[in-house]
Structure formats: structure tokens, C-alpha cells
Amino acid sequence: MKREGKRTSFDTSSRLTEWGALLLGIALLTLLIVELPNEVFSPASKSFFFAIGAIGLWRYSWWFIHVLRSLWYNRHVFPKLRAAAEANPAKPDALYVLCTSYRIDPQTSFAVFDALIKETRRYGVPTTIFAAISDRSDVDAIEYALEENAWPGNVEIRYMFQKGDGKRSAMAEVLRAISRSLPPANALLVSMDGDIRLEPGTLERSLIFFHSQQDLGALTTNNQAIVNGGDITREWYDLRYAQRHLMMSSISLSKRLLVLTGRYSAFRVDLAIRADFIDLVENDHVEHWRFGNFKFLSGDDKSTWYWLLKNGWKMQYIPDVFVSGFEELPDPDRFFASTTDLMKRWFGNMLRTSDRAIALGPKPMGLFTWWCLIDQRLSMWTTLIGPTVAILMSLFVRPSFIFAYLLWILFTRTIASLVLAWQRGRFSLTWIFLLYYNQISGALLKTYVSFRFNRQKWSRQGISAGEPQDIKAARRQRRMGHILHGFHAGLLVFLLLLATHILKPLDQVSLAILGDQGMQSLRASATPADFASAARRDSRWLAATMRDVPQDGGVHLPAGRFQINEQLLDSLNEIERLHAAALIGTGIDETAPQHTTLLVSPTVASRIHRGTSQPDSADALSMNCTVDSRCTLTLGQRDISLIDLRIEVISNPS
């Protein structure tokens, strides 16, 4: 059934949207290529490319491992599992369906229950549908669906009105009701949301795996969307489903999953009616050193997943069975705000559960699945390294680095989108931009939520939980979250400043700039044997400073004595474009207690001129360079003016 104005996830976007994305991509690529300066690829850029390339190599090599595992599962492993299941088909003696529906519009409710009743009648086993609903209009829609399907004899409907505090309590009540009915040993339970439509053959083609795999505790299927919204909203949902398909397939190769989605999952009933299973669904909570004990509001699919994971049961993803979800943003007119709200809830569910799952260790789930859980925690920070480095290098080194980064983004996200499209069976140019949006906004939201994961909100129910009822205590928690978040974000930026050499540890010259009198006294009394090591440090610093000043700018040196040798000349000759035009001291005044002095080697002295004169090869004062009587340091590519400083020659620097 297809509702008016809705399109399935395999429909193509409108031509206007696709052409708009194509023109935007071409315009952006042209701008980047035309405006990208050659200096971006100079040796001075190596820290930028190392930071971006090293992290990119790590992240994309890990992602391509998932791609290869997904291909192997879908092309080789799953077809064998499907063949084994169909070779010895069997159905359960009873089927129970738990469908939770809260304030779903009647048209959608009818479509969902009409498809569910058709499918259970076709499946043919005694079926009890527990409809956890919110008001009388749901009953009317369900009874109309029953009437349309001639009240099938093998299907029984039981109603349960939700309290409005989330679906956990309703799920627990249903599981207890199933337990009291003494279900058969091989009975199965399907848990689904009230906005999910089962496609024909869903039950038969998915539940068959429980008979062929006795150690299978639960399974979930592929998803597609029927979206009420524009092209961008539809593509956003379909891109997420494409990413979900890839990751689910990869993890399922290890006979585990990272989540049992609430949209459609099936369980063995004898597991689902165990007391500890029901208690975890209803009362799942966490003990946290800062938040104390707080109960989970949503994320029941994470609770059921954790119980199966902890107890060593296998899970499986069925990629060739689709269920269709009626999807709509909380506020269709505000794409960014709505997607942010949804991702914040999803990531909160993930972060509230992953720590305790990681604590189980690799034994109950395998090393690969265990490392995937750890990678979820790492990736939210590593994803932010690329844009942070690009921004820092553009602000503090040269603006052109942002062009190189944007080219990297266009290239890598295009490749990733094509890979996803290859597995999904369709492609949209909007995926290139939406993929980057999902990654960056997702990483920012994960880092935000990781310091505030007690704050929970369910948009449809309009309820929230997790914070203390006392307003002052809640404010203290929030302030501490801001402080910890700011500290970790600041630490990341600080480490990246060091890694890219934008920020360097203090050396002798830096200490002199800060006015360290003791260091200046040490330099004044240094012996000739100390000259070489000090000159190397000062020369490297001065060359780097001359490189980074604006075009034709001057380098202002503080008062003090600076040792300069051939290292300066060698470093300046390696610079493709030398921007500095002058070295400017503090002035030469015999009455002043301090002034700027360059202690230079004979080789450097031979490059210094004032008119036709050169410094003498002596240890005494050789030359004063003032505003009216400037000196010139001659290089191969340009001359550097020396102003308001004193030149002294160290005749025996070794």
C-alpha cells in the first residue's frame, strides 16, 4: 500500500534536486581547483597532510574492512544460510506480535495493521497480536483492518493502552501476559513499531532461520522508508538505511549485531519471557559516578540486544527481507533541527549502553564486535580531527589549506557514496553532501551527548527524564557537563596545535621574547663552544618566523642576543616563497640597558653589507644597522633589510 504523497526509498529524487546537487558539486570543484595555490603542496604543508592523511587512512581502511565483510556476508555467507533454512522449513507452534503505537495517525495505523493481519493470516500459525495503543482511534483502525480481512480465524487481537511514559512499561506488560499464557517451547515473538508495514512474505522469509539455527536468539531485517517530506528528507533517510545495511551485514558476519532495531525484530519467546529479560526491558538503568542512578526512557532495542549479548546468544541480520517504515521528521519544516533531535536520541541510547557492553570483553561477542563498540567511542573524536586541523591551519598558517581540505572531502565522500549506492542499488548526488553532514554533525552530537547522556527526550511522547528533580542539582550537573566537555574539546585542539607545529614548546628565543632576564644573561656570557647549538635553535626559529609573516612584512626582534649561523641561510633557501623583507630590532642606543644584537658566523657576515662595506672578522662590534644607515642580508632570491640592530661576528664559532 502506498499513501498519497509518499514515496518508497527506492524512488529517485526529483530531477530538480539531482541537477541542483550536480551543479553545486561542479561549481564547488571548479572553485577549489582554480583557487588552490601551489604553496599548499610545499614541504611546509607536511604536518597538515600527515594529520589529515593519517587519520583518513585509519578511518577509511577500517570502513573498507566493513565494506569487504559486508560483501562477503551478502554474496557468500548469507546465501548459504538462506539455502540451509529453506532446505528444512518449519514454522513455530505459536506466534506473538508486540506492536507499540503511540499517537500514530489513523491512516498509517490502518495501513500497518492491515498489512500485519494479512501477513499473519498468510503465515498460518496461531497468532496473538498485542496492540499497545494510545487512544480509541487506534481500536477503530484495527477493527476496520480486521473487517477488511474477514476476521481471520488464526489471528487474535488484544489491546493494551499505554501510560504515556514510553513503551517500556507496555512491552513488559505484554511479555508478562505472554508468559502467563504458557506459550509453546518453539514459539516466536515479533516486536515492531506502530509505523512499520510488513511486506508480503516477511514472516515466512525471516522467521524460518530460527529452526535451522538453534543458537539464534534474535534477528532483524533490512529497512526501507515511505517518507512524508521533501527530497532532502527522503534522501537523508535512505542514506541512513544504506549505511545501516552495510554495517549490519558486516557485523552479522560475526553472528552478532550492534543493535536490535525496534522497527522489526524477532525473538525466541522462551528468552523473551525470562524474568531478567522482562526486568531489563522495563527497568533498565545505569549507575554513573556523576549522574547517579537513572532509568532509561527509550532505547528498549539496546536493552534487549545487551541481554542477548551478555548471555551469549547469536543474532542475525536478514538483508533480503524488507519492512517499510512511515517516516516523518518531528518538524518537517526544520530539517537541521529535526535531524539533530533524532540523532541526539539515537546516540544517547547508544552511549548509555556501550560502556557496559565493552566491559563484557570480547569473549561473549568476539573480538571484532567488541572492537566495533570501542570504535564507536573513538570515531566521534577522530572524525573531528580533519575539520579542526583544516580550520587551525587556515587561521594560523595560510588560508589556502581550507581548499585542500574541501577537495579531500569531495573526493572521499564521493567514493563512499558510490560504494553505498553499489550495495543499496541506487544513488543520489545529494548523498555526497548529506554523508559529510551526518558524519560531522553526528560526531559533534556524540561528543555533546557523551557528557550529558542522562538527559533523555522522546519527541513523539513529549516526555523527558534523567535529570534530578531538584533544579539546583540539575544545574550543577549541567555545569559540570559543560566543563568536562570544554576540557576534552580544548585538549583535542591543544594536541592538534602541537601535532601540526602551529604551537611549539618554548625555546631560548621564546623565553627572551617573554622577557626572561636570566636567559639573556646566559646568552651574553656564552662561550664560543656554545655557539653552534644555540645558533641552530635561533636560526631555525628565525627562518620559520620569516616564512610566516605577511608578504613584504618585517620581523620584529626583541632585545637580546641571538646567535645566527649557516643554518639560517640553508633554511631560507628551502622556502619557496619568502615573505619577510626586513629584520627590525629595538634600536641602538648606547644609553639603553638592552638592545638587539645578532651574533653571526663569518659565513653569514659575508652576506651582510651596508653600501660597499662588510663587517670585520673580529669578535668586537662590527656594524650598527640603523634606520638611516640600513644593512642588507643578501640571499639568492631577495635581500633582507636589517634595521635598528647590532651585528657582531663570532670569528671562531666551533
Side-chain angles (χ1 to χ4, degrees), residues 100-103 131-135 138 159-174 176 282-283 295 297 458 461-463:
T100 53
S101 176
Y102 191 86
R103 294 184 178 176
I133 56 179
S134 55
D135 52 52
D138 295 324
Y159 299 105
M160 177 175 294
F161 285 88
Q162 296 188 49
K163 301 176 182 178
D165 58 352
K167 65 178 183 178
R168 286 181 175 269
S169 58
M171 291 179 66
E173 288 300 318
V174 168
R176 292 190 183 97
E282 184 175 28
N283 301 307
K295 186 178 178 181
L297 177 62
W458 203 328
Q461 281 80 353
I463 53 178

Side-chain angles (χ1 to χ4, degrees), residues 467-476:
E467 291 190 298
Q469 294 183 351
D470 181 71
I471 296 178
K472 292 183 178 180
R475 287 176 178 172
R476 283 196 300 270

